[in-house]
Amino acid sequence: MTDFINPNEDTRIEAGSKVDLHFSVAIENGVEIDNTRSREEPVSLVMGDGSLLPGFEKALFGLRAGDRRTVSLPPEEAFGPWNPENVQKFDTVKFEQRPVEGHMIEFEDKAKQSLYGVVKTVGDDITEVDFNHPLAGKDITFEVEIFKVTPAGQQGVKIM
């Protein structure tokens, strides 16, 4: 006997589901910051694998193939609130080259992990660097179109 596990339009997204989708992300003023629609194929991800922020995943639960949704997310559900404690001051003379306002600089934390910051101000003595995510504190609009949903632990393949 041959069975086909065939994800269909009735299969709803839940934890562990494999989802094929296109999405776009825009900030509060309508400026698009990411979009997968220019790709030939939809992107594929597994719910809970860490490839989407929890707020984005939450917006997908219960959707099924063919569904489209637009969700507005506050900073707390997107990239987090802007935190003034994440702005650090450095001696300007300690940089190998004079920093430029608005440029992103790579730093290394105590665990030797890369950490990126945006130069906010450059003075003769002090340079301020913002380590907040560039989208922290911003309302985000997340648009998604679902193409295929495969239940957790299954593949759309023939089983012998």
Side-chain angles (χ1 to χ4, degrees), residues 87 92 99-102 118-123 126-130:
V87 177
T92 301
V100 177
E101 285 184 24
V118 176
V119 178
K120 295 302 266 183
T121 61
V122 179
I126 299 294
T127 293
E128 286 187 323
V129 179
D130 186 349

Side-chain angles (χ1 to χ4, degrees), residues 104-121:
M104 187 174 283
I105 297 179
E106 182 178 5
F107 292 81
E108 203 173 78
D109 66 13
K110 291 176 185 168
K112 304 285 185 200
Q113 299 291 315
S114 288
L115 185 65
Y116 294 92
V118 176
V119 178
K120 295 302 266 183
T121 61

Side-chain angles (χ1 to χ4, degrees), residues 13 27 53 104:
I13 296 173
I27 53 178
L53 291 171
M104 187 174 283

Side-chain angles (χ1 to χ4, degrees), residues 24 37 59 63 68-73 140-144:
S24 64
R37 286 182 177 81
L63 297 181
R68 291 173 179 251
R69 178 173 283 176
T70 300
V71 181
S72 294
L73 298 171
I140 301 293
T141 300
F142 178 60
E143 289 185 23
V144 65

Side-chain angles (χ1 to χ4, degrees), residues 13 19 21-28 31-37 43 45 47 51-61 63 68-74 77-79 139-146:
I13 296 173
V19 182
L21 55 87
H22 272 308
F23 69 87
S24 64
V25 179
I27 53 178
E28 55 222 348
V31 173
E32 191 172 86
I33 54 170
D34 196 5
N35 182 342
T36 64
R37 286 182 177 81
V43 294
L45 58 93
M47 295 297 285
S51 55
L52 284 181
L53 291 171
F56 295 149
E57 279 199 354
K58 190 169 94 175
L60 299 181
F61 284 114
L63 297 181
R68 291 173 179 251
R69 178 173 283 176
T70 300
V71 181
S72 294
L73 298 171
E77 293 183 29
F79 295 94
D139 291 326
I140 301 293
T141 300
F142 178 60
E143 289 185 23
V144 65
E145 180 179 5
I146 308 300

